[in-house]
Amino acid sequence: MVTSSDMPTELAEPASASLSGKSGVLPRQDIRTLVSRGMVRSSSGTIDESQYQPASLDLRLGDKAYRVRASFLPGLNKSVEQVLEDLAQDEVSLEHGAILEKNCVYVVELMESLVDLPATISAFANPKSSTGRLDVFTRLIADRSEVFDSVAGGYSGKLYAEISPSSFSIKVRKGSRLNQLRFRRRGGSQEEASGFRVSDRDLRLVHERTPLVDGPATIRNGLVFRIHLAGAGDDEIIGYQAQRFTDVIDVDRVGQYAVEDFWTPLYTRGRKRLILDPHQFYILASKERLHIPAGFAAEMAPIDPSMGEFRVHYAGFFDPGFGVGADGAPGSRGVLEVRSHEVPFVLEDGQVVGRLAFEKMAAEPDALYGEIGTSNYQGQALKLSKHFRS
């Protein structure tokens, strides 16, 4: 159990720290309160300071992975462990590192678990930015759950990560971090998974006070963003396409890999468009530069399928403070992981490809994105994951 005595003095929560307050996404100081009260625990006995993000907590892989026949959900009457007894094909130790092969599905018990989560606080998971940029499909599974990436209020139990590398085989080990958990506190009149998103009307007011993008904002069921495919010249790189036959990527090695060994750069060549191959994975960027104000968080959602047979396919989470430039203006592009479905599809420069759904924070975090040591993508333009040399 993690208690205040296990934590450095400057990080320990005061005895009077309360879990009550406004509804919204919990900032990291409230996540620390959950940890200090033993509601978030680790099998190692401690939560590392580097796991705390402004509005989420990084989750760590445990000591073994199970290769399974297929992805699954346990349903209301089973634990994940019970399902694994039937579906697991192999058990792989992660103590000293192991390779997870692409196009295979693995389930790993996480080091973190939840104990007596308050009924008014639920949890939701996302892949970390670096995970999505490696085309590693990662989802959270909880016992007796009918949905991925969601933990109901009042939950007690283990947490698991489903991991399926798509473009590259990866090496992981006990303690590797592929996804993150955020928490929402709801008011008495709110449903557990609804009533949190900022309305378009309120979002326009936010943009008037603190610009969300570096130009006119298109707000329609969230903040709409468009694809950037027109560079300043024919030699400008506007995207990357994953190579199909590459070496393994160790997810804990930062800045160690040569881009040309894993990616094929894409150039404008005056065309201002890109034809997506349905068998390929692409890293592209938004035309807009973004900024997430301190009192808000945002989640990337795919555009309506009726707009095209493609998907910006990892629902990324944007922490408060992401994208702020030196002058306070929006300064970071959104990096997009894109894959076409079934048929080739033409993307044109400026085409709408997705939107950001904003939520209010329950309180402003005590440190914003860009102010902590793990802010790898502040000020980004088109940027691959942190594993590649710039």
Side-chain angles (χ1 to χ4, degrees):
M1 173 176 174
V2 180
T3 65
S4 295
S5 61
D6 295 317
M7 303 172 68
T9 303
E10 68 273 17
L11 300 181
E13 291 291 336
S16 60
S18 173
L19 288 172
S20 62
K22 294 181 179 179
S23 64
V25 179
L26 297 190
R28 70 179 196 159
Q29 60 267 29
D30 284 359
I31 297 175
R32 283 202 179 98
T33 299
L34 292 174
V35 171
S36 69
R37 296 191 174 190
M39 296 173 181
V40 180
R41 303 185 185 184
S42 169
S43 58
S44 70
T46 58
I47 300 291
D48 293 340
E49 168 60 14
S50 61
Q51 288 179 252
Y52 292 100
Q53 305 303 319
S56 61
L57 183 74
D58 287 351
L59 301 175
R60 298 171 295 181
L61 300 183
D63 59 6
K64 65 181 68 173
Y66 298 93
R67 180 171 169 174
V68 295
R69 286 185 284 160
S71 174
F72 67 87
L73 281 166
L76 293 177
N77 299 315
K78 288 186 178 181
S79 67
V80 174
E81 188 174 343
Q82 288 173 316
V83 180
L84 285 174
E85 291 176 358
D86 178 50
L87 290 182
Q89 295 178 312
D90 192 18
E91 181 179 311
V92 181
S93 173
L94 302 184
E95 285 286 358
H96 304 292
I99 294 173
L100 306 186
E101 300 284 353
K102 65 180 181 180
N103 301 321
C104 296
V105 182
Y106 302 85
V107 173
V108 180
E109 182 181 335
L110 298 168
M111 293 173 66
E112 287 71 36
S113 60
L114 300 176
V115 179
D116 295 331
L117 196 67
T120 56
I121 296 178
S122 51
F124 299 83
N126 290 98
K128 290 176 62 64
S129 296
S130 298
T131 306
R133 295 183 202 200
L134 290 180
D135 198 17
V136 178
F137 192 52
T138 304
R139 298 189 288 192
L140 186 83
I141 313 176
D143 290 337
R144 294 171 294 281
S145 178
E146 294 183 299
V147 293
F148 291 108
D149 287 333
S150 182
V151 183
Y155 180 80
S156 281
K158 298 176 180 180
L159 300 173
Y160 298 80
E162 176 191 292
I163 306 167
S164 182
S166 295
S167 290
F168 315 113
S169 295
I170 59 173
K171 185 174 184 178
V172 300
R173 57 189 52 77
K174 181 180 180 179
S176 295
R177 307 174 189 184
L178 298 182
N179 59 350
Q180 57 193 145
L181 195 65
R182 53 199 164 95
F183 299 86
R184 290 184 184 131
R185 180 167 53 223
R186 62 185 175 89
S189 61
Q190 284 180 295
E191 296 293 334
E192 190 166 74
S194 63
F196 288 93
R197 291 190 172 178
V198 178
S199 69
D200 285 355
R201 176 181 177 278
D202 288 343
L203 198 56
R204 293 187 183 96
L205 294 176
V206 172
H207 178 66
E208 290 176 5
R209 296 193 304 267
T210 307
L212 304 175
V213 293
D214 59 343
T218 301
I219 296 176
R220 187 173 62 248
N221 196 24
L223 178 68
V224 172
F225 57 87
R226 303 170 187 274
I227 198 75
H228 176 69
L229 296 176
D234 285 352
D235 293 330
E236 182 174 332
I237 297 174
I238 48 84
Y240 292 93
Q241 179 177 316
Q243 296 177 19
R244 298 183 64 185
F245 306 102
T246 68
D247 202 351
V248 173
I249 295 177
D250 187 326
V251 300
D252 296 322
R253 295 184 65 194
V254 177
Q256 298 297 307
Y257 296 97
V259 172
E260 60 270 20
D261 291 339
F262 294 85
W263 301 93
T264 300
L266 305 173
Y267 298 91
T268 53
R269 304 294 190 226
R271 291 187 294 267
K272 298 185 179 182
R273 71 177 186 181
L274 175 66
I275 299 178
L276 300 177
D277 185 328
H279 304 293
Q280 297 297 313
F281 174 74
Y282 301 86
I283 296 291
L284 304 172
S286 69
K287 184 167 285 292
E288 298 84 358
R289 294 186 182 274
L290 309 170
H291 172 218
I292 311 300
F296 298 86
E299 184 176 15
M300 188 182 293
I303 200 64
D304 190 310
S306 65
M307 298 293 290
E309 289 302 317
F310 67 95
R311 181 177 172 88
V312 180
H313 74 294
Y314 294 106
F317 179 66
F318 290 74
D319 276 301
F322 173 84
V324 62
D327 56 357
S332 299
R333 296 189 190 274
V335 169
L336 315 174
E337 303 98 13
V338 179
R339 190 186 295 277
S340 182
H341 290 318
E342 303 301 332
V343 297
F345 188 82
V346 177
L347 281 181
E348 302 280 356
D349 179 59
Q351 183 170 340
V352 172
V353 292
R355 58 188 172 84
L356 289 181
F358 281 73
E359 296 185 22
K360 288 184 179 180
M361 296 293 298
E364 290 189 11
D366 57 12
L368 299 176
Y369 192 87
E371 298 175 350
I372 59 177
T374 52
S375 303
N376 294 297
Y377 303 111
Q378 189 72 305
Q380 70 181 2
L382 175 69
K383 186 175 176 63
L384 295 170
S385 73
K386 62 186 180 183
H387 307 93
F388 299 96
R389 294 192 287 270
S390 300

